[in-house]
Amino acid sequence: MSVKRVLTLAASAATVAVLVSPVSSASALESGAQGAKAPRLASADGYLHVFTQPNGGGRECSWAGNSDNWGSCRNLTSDIWNNGYAGGNDAVDLYWGLNATGAHACISQGDRWNDTTQDDYHFTYGAGLGGFGATVNNNISSHRWVDYCSQG
């Protein structure tokens, strides 16, 4: 069996595991976290997943790498899930502007903000930049994978 086929089968199995695995309990808030954290889900797939409606509703967009323009999900996102792999570059900076510009918020590996319509999540990094303090709901244009969430 080829390496490519083995990797494809492994990715498929991980996806099925995510869909059928029970959700674990929510973790305690970490320093710099915004609002209550959604439960961590099993089996990372290496992607940032977003949905246009809360709780996985509406259209889904997902990326394994950085994106300068969220295209059909730009400024239309109400559910954000960082299902990246643990290790380097596993947090995601979410930017108010295109091409990773303006203020940003950061979501850690394994976290899910399943309903951003409740005004719990804001662009808290980048004081003085466009979008600073605004809600992330329906306001994200781009993202970058980073080593960790930090003020900066």
Side-chain angles (χ1 to χ4, degrees):
M1 188 178 305
S2 74
V3 172
K4 185 175 181 179
R5 179 154 172 87
V6 169
L7 291 175
T8 300
L9 289 172
S12 296
T15 300
V16 169
V18 166
L19 295 174
V20 298
S21 295
V23 176
S24 65
S25 62
S27 63
L29 287 177
E30 297 173 9
S31 176
Q34 300 177 11
K37 293 201 177 224
R40 291 184 179 259
L41 302 175
S43 301
D45 66 3
Y47 284 83
L48 172 67
H49 298 270
V50 300
F51 301 88
T52 57
Q53 299 296 316
N55 303 307
R59 182 176 55 254
E60 178 184 13
C61 295
S62 58
W63 303 269
N66 297 331
S67 176
D68 287 335
N69 184 342
W70 277 19
S72 65
C73 284
R74 180 176 175 228
N75 296 333
L76 294 174
T77 302
S78 297
D79 180 346
I80 305 161
W81 176 25
N82 178 350
N83 199 31
Y85 299 117
N89 286 332
D90 60 5
V92 180
D93 282 343
L94 307 166
Y95 287 89
W96 177 80
L98 294 169
N99 302 309
T101 61
H104 69 278
C106 188
I107 186 168
S108 297
Q109 187 274 332
D111 286 344
R112 184 165 188 174
W113 302 344
N114 63 337
D115 186 357
T116 61
T117 64
Q118 300 301 308
D119 201 33
D120 292 332
Y121 304 96
H122 297 87
F123 295 103
T124 57
Y125 302 126
L129 298 175
F132 182 75
T135 179
V136 301
N137 185 63
N138 294 333
N139 274 324
I140 304 170
S141 297
S142 58
H143 75 270
R144 293 282 184 270
W145 290 87
V146 295
D147 283 330
Y148 53 90
C149 291
S150 68
Q151 198 74 20

